[in-house]
Amino acid sequence: QYLTTILTATGEEVDFATVFGGIDRIPARSPEELKQQQRDNAEGYVLRYDNGQRVKIKFDQYVELHRVVTGLSTTSIWECLRAGQNPLEVLTMLPDELYGWAERETTELKVKHYELVNGAVSKKDAMLIDLGSNFTRKDFAALALEDPNPALLFMALDASNERLNDAAWKLVKPE
């Protein structure tokens, strides 16, 4: 994707119109207004400010098209995480706008998983303190059944970390 030409001898930027013979110039508008235009078959805009800073504005339709083309979904990210992979390493070639979305989805899934696993371990530890040293599994079950995820508590009790980890991933699977 072409953004500019720089004259190596001087470091001067050559105007796009000089190189290609014309560009769409638009009156000054906010990036939000430009994004709302949603032109068909268009990627979006690259805004160039007087200080040389550039900002890409991508239309939602374009972003969604790339998501479909790449097969990227919250479920595919979840599948990577459940398999112990880092989806962000696999997705490094994504355009910035999709990478940001994938990063947010990855973080959200990881946080939900972490909360389930650590919540189960913490609750199990608190239950053991309440039960004392001479508890039975039946005693533990009576307390565990008050929790929305009693199976996770038993996995934590049995130190079945692999099962606990997998069960937590199943619970955060996107629909």
Side-chain angles (χ1 to χ4, degrees):
Q1 181 175 2
Y2 177 85
L3 286 180
T4 192
T5 297
I6 304 288
L7 298 176
T8 54
T10 64
E12 180 184 353
E13 183 173 349
V14 179
D15 185 73
F16 188 90
T18 304
V19 176
F20 290 102
I23 58 172
D24 291 339
R25 293 199 182 269
I26 55 172
R29 293 188 183 140
S30 73
E32 294 79 19
E33 287 179 288
L34 292 172
K35 186 172 180 159
Q36 289 175 357
Q37 289 183 1
Q38 299 298 324
R39 293 177 23 204
D40 287 338
N41 299 318
E43 180 177 345
Y45 294 104
V46 176
L47 307 180
R48 184 181 178 280
Y49 293 95
D50 291 336
N51 67 2
Q53 179 184 8
R54 287 181 172 76
V55 176
K56 286 184 178 182
I57 305 294
K58 302 284 185 170
F59 295 140
D60 292 340
Q61 180 185 34
Y62 174 81
V63 172
E64 184 58 29
L65 174 65
H66 270 276
R67 193 175 295 160
V68 169
V69 168
T70 62
L72 183 61
S73 68
T74 304
T75 302
S76 63
I77 291 170
W78 172 84
E79 288 168 349
C80 282
L81 290 169
R82 185 172 178 220
Q85 300 170 343
N86 181 353
L88 299 178
E89 289 175 8
V90 177
L91 303 173
T92 55
M93 297 304 290
L94 283 176
D96 291 343
E97 64 277 3
L98 284 183
Y99 189 85
W101 173 85
E103 193 172 41
R104 287 187 301 278
E105 293 298 309
T106 298
T107 299
E108 186 176 321
L109 289 167
K110 283 179 161 181
V111 166
K112 288 178 181 177
H113 178 267
Y114 176 86
E115 288 172 348
L116 281 172
V117 169
N118 287 310
V121 170
S122 295
K123 182 151 189 182
K124 177 264 310 179
D125 290 345
M127 289 168 60
L128 293 180
I129 291 169
D130 290 345
L131 289 168
S133 59
N134 294 324
F135 76 94
T136 65
R137 283 183 78 81
K138 184 177 180 179
D139 298 330
F140 187 85
L143 290 177
L145 290 174
E146 297 173 10
D147 190 82
N149 297 303
L152 296 182
L153 297 174
F154 275 100
M155 291 173 204
L157 176 67
D158 296 337
S160 183
N161 296 334
E162 214 171 289
R163 286 182 54 223
L164 175 59
N165 187 49
D166 191 55
W169 279 123
K170 287 178 183 177
L171 288 170
V172 299
K173 182 177 182 180
E175 296 184 19

